[in-house]
Every structure is written in structure tokens, then in C-alpha cells.
């Protein structure tokens, strides 16, 4: 079983199912990359797998996976202020969360570190605000 698929199903359901977050980002929640030319208004949310490891029992049996995901708000502009409410909502939804999907479960979700950076594309500043989240899943 590939646990990252199950984690991402759970993550999308959790984020897209929250009415406050959906209002803040207009339903723009994407895995890995936003569609090219994603239309304003900003902000939007993007999540992506960053790395992890398998937890094994005796022998080759895999008990669970420990995975890290970057989950962040992205917006255009000169300030992180417009992203603060989205990042705060992500934190409220994810910290200590757990849940199930059809054939798997996320046992734990905790933030390991914050994320904040700026990149420039075609002269436009894009700000990223969120965190790296550790998820334990089976």
C-alpha cells in the first residue's frame, strides 16, 4: 500500500471540507502545484510531500509511514499579512488532527517547523506561509 496516496486523500478532504478555509481561498486547494496561470484572487493553498520513512516491525513488515508535507498559503504582494488568516486556519485544522480514508488512516499530524519565504517570478513577488507537517499513517 502506498500511504502517501491515502494521506493526500485525507488531507484534501480535511482542507476542502472546512467552510472557513474554503471561504478564505475560494476553494483553491491544490496538491503539488497550482494550475499554471491560476487566476486571482489570491491566496491559494498548496500541499506537497517532502520526504519520510517507513516504520518496520521485525523483518520486512511495514507498520506505518512517517511522512512530512509542506502545506502553505501562497499569495502575491509585498506583505505576508494577507496570508496570515489562511496560515492560522491551516494550523488550527492540522495540529493534532487524525482521521481515516477508505483503506487507510492518518494517526497523527503535527507541525515540525514553520515555512515563510518569497520568490519572484516575472517581477512579481509570491509569498509562501505555512509549515512542514509530520504525519504518521497506516
Amino acid at each position: 500500500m502506498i500511504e502517501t496516496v491515502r494521506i493526500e486523500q485525507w488531507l484534501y478532504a480535511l482542507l476542502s471540507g472546512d467552510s472557513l478555509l474554503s471561504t478564505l481561498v475560494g476553494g483553491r486547494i491544490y496538491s503539488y502545484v497550482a494550475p499554471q496561470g491560476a487566476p486571482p484572487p489570491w491566496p491559494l493553498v498548496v500541499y506537497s510531500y517532502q520526504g519520510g520513512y517507513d516504520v518496520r516491525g521485525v523483518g520486512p513488515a511495514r507498520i506505518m509511514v512517517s511522512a512530512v508535507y509542506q502545506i502553505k498559503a501562497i499569495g502575491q504582494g509585498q506583505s505576508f499579512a494577507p496570508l496570515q488568516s489562511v496560515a492560522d486556519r491551516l494550523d488550527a485544522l492540522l495540529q493534532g488532527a487524525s482521521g481515516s480514508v477508505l483503506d487507510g488512516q492518518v494517526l497523527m499530524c503535527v507541525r515540525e517547523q514553520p515555512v515563510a519565504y518569497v520568490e519572484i517570478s516575472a517581477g512579481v513577488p509570491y509569498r509562501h506561509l505555512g509549515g512542514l507537517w509530520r504525519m504518521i499513517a497506516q
Side-chain angles (χ1 to χ4, degrees), residues 14-27 89 93:
L14 177 70
L15 299 179
S16 65
D18 183 71
S19 60
L20 178 54
L21 183 62
S22 289
T23 298
L24 290 170
V25 299
R89 188 63 188 158
L93 288 170

Side-chain angles (χ1 to χ4, degrees), residues 57-123:
V58 176
R62 186 174 60 239
I63 298 170
M64 61 188 147
V65 69
S66 178
V68 174
Y69 277 79
Q70 183 179 89
I71 306 165
K72 62 189 177 181
I74 303 173
Q76 294 177 335
Q78 299 300 320
S79 169
F80 283 105
L83 302 178
Q84 186 65 50
S85 59
V86 178
D88 286 346
R89 188 63 188 158
L90 290 171
D91 190 65
L93 288 170
L94 293 165
Q95 186 66 22
S98 61
S100 297
V101 293
L102 183 60
D103 59 351
Q105 59 184 336
V106 173
L107 303 170
M108 178 198 79
C109 179
V110 294
R111 194 182 80 182
E112 289 197 341
Q113 68 185 62
V115 167
Y117 64 95
V118 180
E119 63 182 344
I120 307 292
S121 178

